[in-house]
Every structure is written in C-alpha cells, then in structure tokens.
Amino acid sequence: MSTANTGNDSASCFQVSSASHQRTSRGGGFGLWLMATLFLLCVAACDPLTGTGPGTPPDPKTFIKVFPATLTVVVTLIAGHPATDNQFNYDGYSSGALVLTVPVGWQVTIQCLNHGTVPNSCAVVADGKATEPVQPDWSTANPQRGLDPGQSSGFVINPDAPGSYRIASLVGGNEASGMWADLEVTEGGVPTLTAP
C-alpha cells in the first residue's frame, strides 16, 4: 500500500486522515447517560427469562378455529407469548391455566409458534412425568430439542377415546417452569379453548 504525506494530511488508497477530519468529544456525559438509561429501561421492560413484564393474557378464543361441518379444529399455541411475566407459557397462560377441550372423533391441528427466547416445543403427553408424546406423531419434530426462537411447526391428532392429557414443551426444564396446557378429550360437545 502506498502512502503520501501532504502536510497535515496522510492519504492512502483506503482512507484520508487529517486533524480536520478527526472529531474528539470531551465531556458531554449526557449522551452516555441517555444511552445507559435507555439500556436499563429496555432491560427492565423485557426480561428474556421471565417475559416482557406484567400484562393481561389475550382471550383464548382468538387462538381456536372450529369447523363443525368437517369435525376439525385448528389451535394456535404461541410458545413464549409476550403478554405475561412468565416466558414459559402458551398463548400467555402457564401451568395448565389454558384448557383445550376436544370431543372424540374430531381432527385437531396444533400450530406451535415459538415467540420465546429459548427453544420450545409442543407435544401431547400423558402427564407431568412424561418425556415422550402419547403417540410419536403427536408433537412438533424433535420435541426434546424444540423449535428455535422464531420457528413454527404443526401436527395433527385424532383422539379416539376420552381422557386427560397435557400439551407441553419437552425441552429440558420448560414444562417444570409452567410450559404446559391442559387437554381434555370428551365424549361429546364442541372444541373450546378456555382459561380462568
């Protein structure tokens, strides 16, 4: 690389530098204070481990579409919904507060969207001790690994007998942190998604 000196300037093929092109800030602590304040506000408003702060979970009815003529239902579960204090939730509800009720004979499509900051999955399991789905295809792919943040996946279940189950994230520690919803399969009625 060749460099030429022209008085107070130093020029090369890649840059020109001179005292007139340099700006040094002395004092001016206000800018640093402002940046620090904004950073702290963002941290306080969005804790990646606990959610984005206090808020009201949305109406569960917005996450279910029922088609009685074809006995099909589509349920959207947003893992890590940002409305609550706890990131480990579906649609803003955790620890079984969200209840999906489905009659025997209905086809249920579960759409799982990961809006959290850590991997999450959706799997139909027998209870809180289960580490595998009730049936191999009753979960998102590789439920122990989960979906990365921003990913989504779905699966279909066709319950053929009444029973109580959970829809849970099988990624290590997620279910124990509250990432599960209650699934009730009933003899009759229509599908519902409710919360207290």
Side-chain angles (χ1 to χ4, degrees):
M1 172 171 66
S2 66
T3 303
N5 242 337
T6 57
N8 291 332
D9 293 342
S10 174
S12 74
C13 295
F14 300 106
Q15 75 181 49
V16 173
S17 178
S18 76
S20 64
H21 293 125
Q22 308 290 324
R23 181 176 161 178
T24 304
S25 175
R26 294 188 174 97
F30 177 75
L32 181 60
W33 175 85
L34 180 61
M35 286 177 39
T37 301
L38 289 174
F39 173 77
L40 291 174
L41 285 173
C42 288
V43 167
C46 183
D47 183 340
L49 296 178
T50 62
T52 60
T56 304
D59 184 349
K61 292 176 190 158
T62 61
F63 300 106
I64 186 170
K65 301 291 181 219
V66 179
F67 304 96
T70 57
L71 298 180
T72 58
V73 59
V74 177
V75 178
T76 300
L77 296 178
I78 299 176
H81 193 285
T84 67
D85 286 337
N86 183 356
Q87 172 179 209
F88 297 100
N89 71 73
Y90 291 120
D91 298 341
Y93 299 90
S94 61
S95 301
L98 187 66
V99 180
L100 174 60
T101 305
V102 179
V104 169
W106 281 67
Q107 178 177 305
V108 183
T109 300
I110 306 283
Q111 297 175 330
C112 187
L113 291 74
N114 186 2
H115 286 195
T117 60
V118 297
N120 292 299
S121 67
C122 297
V124 176
V125 296
D127 56 38
K129 297 177 183 175
T131 59
E132 296 287 332
V134 172
Q135 295 185 23
D137 57 345
W138 283 23
S139 72
T140 52
N142 197 359
Q144 290 80 11
R145 163 66 180 86
L147 302 168
D148 286 328
Q151 289 185 324
S152 63
S153 183
F155 59 97
V156 176
I157 65 171
N158 293 291
D160 57 7
S164 294
Y165 305 93
R166 285 182 172 200
I167 301 173
S169 176
L170 295 181
V171 176
N174 288 11
E175 184 177 10
S177 297
M179 187 143 234
W180 64 277
D182 184 23
L183 171 60
E184 298 295 325
V185 180
T186 61
E187 284 290 344
V190 295
T192 59
L193 189 62
T194 59

